[in-house]
Amino acid sequence: MARFNTDIGRFDYPNSGLNRPEELGCFSLDINREFHDDTSQRKYFIKPSNYDNVSFDLTKGYEGMVKRDEFKDEQIDHLLKWINNHELGNMQTHFICRRGLLNRLMRTMYAKKDDWKFAVSLHKGTYYLCECPTDQSLAKIKHMMGEKDEEMCGWGYKFEQYLTASSADSDPSPDLQYNNCETFYTVVKATIGSHTLVYSGEVDAVSTDEPFGEHYVEFKTITHSAYKLRNWWTQSVLVGVPEIVCGLRDDAGIVTKLQTYTTQDLPTMASDIPAPWKPNVCFNFLDKLLDFIKSNVTIDDPRLVHLLEFSGRDATCNRLPRDSEYAFLHKCCSHLDT
């Protein structure tokens, strides 16, 4: 077993950060969570005329909502399908994964109560990272299955329906069927330190508004006293989303006001709160963890997995037997040479 020291002092030094992610392509998932190598689920942000006086009922149509199976582990299957379709199996990159894992890893130093676990396989010189459910994450999903909590988790998707349309010159249709299955993903390539990464990330909509020109935008709903700047920042910076549109809601799910935040300004806003987080620490932690993976995962075999785990103390790396229960590449990628 190899150990990775997570003392925060190790990571507090200057860092130039993540280079601006370059979009390689995109894909969509339909209401059945089926993969489509197209832009069919891409939405456009239709900006309301008045941010200070809106009335969006996020509970509208919840009874007929089509819900995603939160316990189904989709691993990195959809991203690998996209890579295979575009004949990028031998692309020059060090790491391939989903944005959600990188997001979680970058927050580690400021969220030590949040466990994580992921499998790593080295194949033809590229490290494939696949997040695995932890007991903590499964318990959280189970807790959210309570009727009220489950409904509140769905409010963000209804919020998107009030603000988006299928084209830039269409109107939003908040009466459409309510679901959290249809999604649109960007696939990007980025560099941190000496590491290149290719990863997918869900994005909410395209905005054509100034000052950024055409760009992706994230949507969030918040109460009067709660917002999660660190989580928003890591999620958005990883795929180059420059702004976040927030809906101010009450406990009954009614949004009355909108507010826009610029991603690059979020760390400065965080400096005013107790025990602020630092972007350089987030980037340096990820950079050094990727170094650690390269040093400890050295056998090139898609059927072999190293398991990395963190539960508040040092992270650990264990090599598992070949074809263990955590092996994932050969199960979903018949095109890989095994």
Side-chain angles (χ1 to χ4, degrees), residues 127-142:
Y127 297 86
Y128 293 81
L129 314 182
C130 182
E131 189 167 14
C132 309
T134 65
D135 291 343
Q136 184 187 67
S137 66
L138 291 173
K140 184 177 180 180
I141 292 173
K142 186 175 181 180

Side-chain angles (χ1 to χ4, degrees), residues 44 50 72 85 126 134 141 147 154 185 262-263 320 324:
Y44 286 84
N50 187 354
K72 183 179 180 181
N85 283 1
T126 296
T134 65
I141 292 173
E147 183 174 348
Y185 288 83
T262 301
T263 301
L320 303 182
S324 75

Side-chain angles (χ1 to χ4, degrees), residues 30-296:
D30 65 22
I31 199 167
N32 297 312
R33 301 295 290 176
E34 294 294 329
F35 173 89
H36 297 271
D37 194 0
D38 59 28
T39 62
S40 56
Q41 295 301 328
R42 183 172 60 192
K43 302 291 189 272
Y44 286 84
F45 176 37
I46 309 301
K47 189 174 182 179
S49 58
N50 187 354
Y51 264 39
D52 293 323
N53 184 22
V54 299
S55 180
F56 300 161
D57 182 359
L58 305 183
T59 69
K60 187 176 184 180
Y62 173 74
E63 294 78 9
M65 179 180 178
V66 178
K67 302 171 186 176
R68 182 169 60 201
D69 181 357
E70 300 293 346
F71 287 101
K72 183 179 180 181
D73 186 2
E74 296 174 332
Q75 300 186 323
I76 60 171
D77 297 11
H78 299 129
L79 174 58
L80 293 177
K81 285 181 181 179
W82 182 88
I83 289 172
N84 187 41
N85 283 1
H86 294 268
E87 300 182 349
L88 298 175
N90 295 316
M91 69 168 62
Q92 297 301 306
T93 185
H94 299 123
F95 295 93
I96 291 176
C97 61
R98 293 173 60 180
R99 188 262 311 267
L101 174 59
L102 300 178
N103 187 9
R104 190 179 304 280
L105 297 178
M106 284 179 61
R107 303 196 312 252
T108 299
M109 288 296 89
Y110 302 102
K112 286 204 166 185
K113 293 183 179 179
D114 295 340
D115 298 352
W116 49 251
K117 176 168 61 175
F118 64 95
V120 182
S121 286
L122 176 60
H123 179 61
K124 293 185 176 179
T126 296
Y127 297 86
Y128 293 81
L129 314 182
C130 182
E131 189 167 14
C132 309
T134 65
D135 291 343
Q136 184 187 67
S137 66
L138 291 173
K140 184 177 180 180
I141 292 173
K142 186 175 181 180
H143 174 74
M144 287 170 21
M145 292 302 100
E147 183 174 348
K148 186 59 179 177
D149 288 334
E150 188 176 23
E151 180 179 354
M152 290 178 67
C153 289
W155 286 352
Y157 300 95
K158 177 55 69 173
F159 181 56
E160 293 175 22
Q161 287 188 345
Y162 279 99
L163 294 174
T164 63
S166 57
S167 65
D169 56 359
S170 301
D171 295 323
S173 302
D175 292 327
L176 288 174
Q177 186 177 34
Y178 194 174
N179 80 84
N180 65 352
C181 302
E182 297 171 328
T183 46
F184 175 73
Y185 288 83
T186 180
V187 179
V188 302
K189 186 173 185 177
T191 303
I192 183 167
S194 62
H195 313 294
T196 57
L197 306 96
V198 169
Y199 50 93
S200 59
E202 181 182 348
V203 289
D204 293 335
V206 175
S207 174
T208 58
D209 200 22
E210 296 297 337
F212 303 108
E214 185 168 295
H215 61 280
Y216 290 131
V217 61
E218 287 287 335
F219 300 128
K220 304 292 182 185
T221 63
I222 56 176
T223 61
H224 292 276
S225 59
Y227 52 89
K228 301 177 180 179
L229 298 180
R230 182 193 64 229
N231 295 8
W232 297 354
W233 176 77
T234 54
Q235 181 186 36
S236 297
V237 78
L238 280 166
V239 291
V241 173
E243 67 175 346
I244 301 160
V245 177
C246 298
L248 188 64
R249 65 166 177 82
D250 60 22
D251 292 336
I254 305 299
V255 174
T256 57
K257 183 179 180 179
L258 303 180
Q259 174 69 50
T260 297
Y261 294 91
T262 301
T263 301
Q264 68 178 10
D265 293 338
L266 297 182
T268 303
M269 295 170 61
S271 66
D272 296 330
I273 64 176
W277 48 272
K278 298 180 179 180
N280 64 301
V281 170
C282 299
F283 286 129
N284 286 329
F285 178 85
L286 178 59
D287 183 24
K288 293 303 180 185
L289 185 63
L290 297 178
D291 281 340
F292 177 75
I293 291 172
K294 285 182 175 179
S295 297
N296 288 279

